[in-house]
Amino acid sequence: MSWGASYPVRVEGHLDDGHLSRWLWLVKWLLAVPHFIVLLFLWLGFVVVSVIAFFAILFTGRYPRALFDYNVGVLRWTWRVSYYAYGALGTDRYPPFSLRDIPDYPARLDIEYPEHLSRGLVLVKWWLLAIPHYIVVAFFLGGATVALNQDNQDPTTGGPGLIGVLVLFAAIVLIVTGRYPKGVFDLVLGLNRWVLRVAAYAGLMTDRYPPLRLDMGGDEPGSLVVDTRQAPGQPPPPRPPAGPGRIIGAVLVSLVGLLGFGLLVAGFVLLAVDRTQRDSDDWLTSGSQSLSTSSAALVSEDIQLRFDAPDAVFGDVQVRATQRGDGELFLGIAERSDISSYLAAFGHDVVTEVGGRDATYRRVRGDVAAPAPGDLDLWAQSQSGTGEQVLTWTPSEGDWVLVVMNADGAPGVDVSAEVAAELPVLPWVAAGLMALGLVVLGGSAVGVYLLLRRS
């Protein structure tokens, strides 16, 4: 195959007009899930390869051919999926799982391999020189508009891209008329061609600056000459389309892979929390939270435990609080059944939510002044005194309530508090989630391999 003189990034798309389903586009987001998952990893590789190529070009002036072919394949795969899905909706033919060029697929992309690349341009073209194109591409793809919230403080990006709006319009016309508007198709192809040219330029795959023009239509500007070498009367066999069973199988296998990836990420997050949120005594801490009330007590919502927690699994829990002001502070934990009548006798605030700058409370009113809590034999565990008070408690079965008061029962409680836990089981849970995620991902990879082998 040889291409006529044109920009080295060549993008084509042939509309399957008359063969497009009126309704299939409504579920293509689901059908394309396997490709989205594969492309996630392929684009991670694209980034890594581009970094390696950056240094190779900087020192040698050449883009390693194997790396170049990989990145071309990623862009080619991306263009086929975008053309099938919501980047164009130009075909109902399911995209092949391949980095190679598929001559009979209606969406094609190719990039001419550069024998030499400028060592100087590689330092600036992917960020400084490409800025004008980045602005244009942001408008095409979406996210180019900037709005401010009501306080005029936090900028937010939003707004659909021009490509998305045009494709949605074409889909609506397709539903009504059964035809894809040719003028809209030509414009959508021109916009996608611009985006892919910029992607290749920013990916260091050419030194030729992307033209600031809109080359519309499915055919790339310049001639395309196809070199056919089959013997007369022996055309290449048509590539069979993916059947519904294979597509459904690929969707299910990819959803399993997505589950495995989620388990793996959850394990990493738990492991990161375990490694970064523990204090010098190896307690996992929640961070300090300011709590205050004008009533006599701060009371937690019910802590419901339906079994005795093994020490080797959960360990002990600590409540640490410091009074901001004079006087002694009291911390106590008791079962709800033992303390309900005591709390009902005086006004207090139930802490319903913590986190952020302020906590939220639910006021419970009462008419009787609070007795000094330390004088009562209600508490499973309690601690009082001046300065920081630390209440250590071993969780057990029951409905529990944590109470923070002034030691003399006087109204007006203002503290800085945090909760800490030993949780020796956490790293084991993290490791188990990661191991399970790897197993599920491995099974999904085997399923994808079998599907591809069968195809």
Side-chain angles (χ1 to χ4, degrees), residues 332-352:
I333 190 165
E335 289 204 67
R336 166 62 70 179
S337 57
D338 295 335
I339 203 173
S340 293
S341 58
Y342 172 67
L343 293 178
F346 60 90
H348 58 274
D349 281 356
V350 177
V351 182
T352 58

Side-chain angles (χ1 to χ4, degrees), residues 15-333:
L15 181 63
D16 284 344
D17 200 16
H19 301 283
L20 292 174
S21 167
R22 296 186 183 213
W23 305 103
L24 183 63
W25 66 272
L26 293 171
V27 296
K28 282 185 176 180
W29 65 270
L30 177 61
L31 300 179
V33 165
H35 284 283
F36 295 151
I37 295 173
V38 174
L39 284 171
L40 171 65
F41 293 99
L42 290 179
W43 272 98
L44 290 176
F46 185 98
V47 173
V48 174
V49 165
S50 298
V51 172
I52 297 173
F54 172 87
F55 291 102
I57 298 168
L58 185 63
F59 292 111
T60 69
R62 294 177 63 86
Y63 200 125
R65 186 57 187 262
L67 302 184
F68 182 87
D69 290 342
Y70 171 82
N71 275 4
V72 172
V74 174
L75 289 176
R76 184 179 288 139
W77 194 322
T78 302
W79 169 228
R80 287 194 294 249
V81 174
S82 178
Y83 189 80
Y84 169 79
Y86 304 106
L89 291 178
T91 183
D92 287 343
R93 182 174 163 186
Y94 199 69
F97 288 82
S98 176
L99 296 171
R100 296 176 298 143
D101 180 42
I102 307 297
D104 62 344
Y105 194 77
R108 298 179 64 193
L109 179 146
D110 195 22
I111 303 176
E112 181 181 335
Y113 178 71
E115 295 297 333
H116 178 78
L117 292 168
S118 170
R119 301 184 186 184
L121 277 178
V122 77
L123 296 172
V124 294
K125 67 181 181 181
W126 56 274
W127 65 279
L128 180 61
L129 299 183
I131 286 177
H133 279 289
Y134 289 155
I135 297 173
V136 175
V137 166
F139 175 69
F140 290 169
L141 298 179
T145 58
V146 178
L148 297 177
N149 63 11
Q150 295 179 352
D151 298 329
N152 292 323
Q153 292 178 350
D154 299 327
T156 57
T157 60
L162 179 58
I163 293 176
V165 172
L166 291 172
V167 171
L168 177 60
F169 172 77
I172 295 173
V173 174
L174 181 64
I175 288 178
V176 176
T177 68
R179 309 285 292 185
Y180 197 120
K182 185 63 168 61
V184 175
F185 175 79
D186 290 342
L187 180 55
V188 167
L189 261 290
L191 299 176
N192 278 290
R193 183 173 288 119
W194 191 317
V195 171
L196 290 166
R197 287 172 175 174
V198 173
Y201 181 76
L204 313 177
M205 306 176 78
T206 180
D207 280 345
R208 284 187 58 183
Y209 197 70
L212 288 164
R213 68 171 186 262
L214 190 61
D215 292 326
M216 298 195 302
D219 293 324
E220 181 73 29
S223 61
L224 172 63
V225 180
V226 179
D227 183 13
T228 57
R229 300 187 180 180
Q230 282 80 20
Q234 295 182 2
R239 180 179 297 270
R246 191 183 306 163
I247 295 175
I248 294 173
V251 171
L252 294 177
V253 168
S254 298
L255 289 176
V256 171
L258 188 61
L259 172 62
F261 182 73
L263 292 171
L264 190 62
V265 171
F268 274 116
V269 170
L270 287 180
L271 188 62
V273 169
D274 183 72
R275 291 290 180 253
T276 60
Q277 300 301 311
R278 291 189 181 272
D279 60 18
S280 57
D281 295 325
D282 207 30
W283 288 82
L284 191 67
T285 61
S286 65
S288 181
Q289 174 74 50
S290 295
L291 302 171
S292 63
T293 179
S294 58
S295 66
L298 292 166
V299 180
S300 73
E301 293 190 298
D302 287 4
I303 305 168
Q304 298 179 345
L305 299 178
R306 293 296 173 254
F307 58 91
D308 290 330
D311 291 344
V313 175
F314 295 101
D316 290 339
V317 174
Q318 283 187 348
V319 179
R320 306 166 182 174
T322 303
Q323 176 83 290
R324 289 198 291 257
D326 298 331
E328 293 186 358
L329 182 66
F330 173 86
L331 306 177
I333 190 165

Side-chain angles (χ1 to χ4, degrees), residues 335-394:
E335 289 204 67
R336 166 62 70 179
S337 57
D338 295 335
I339 203 173
S340 293
S341 58
Y342 172 67
L343 293 178
F346 60 90
H348 58 274
D349 281 356
V350 177
V351 182
T352 58
E353 185 177 350
V354 295
R357 185 176 303 174
D358 298 314
T360 57
Y361 311 91
R362 183 180 75 251
R363 175 59 59 89
V364 178
R365 301 192 178 277
D367 300 329
V368 180
D375 297 337
L376 305 174
D377 188 19
L378 301 174
W379 311 102
Q381 196 73 32
S382 64
Q383 183 71 30
S384 63
T386 58
E388 183 185 42
Q389 299 302 304
V390 179
L391 172 66
T392 303
W393 174 58
T394 301

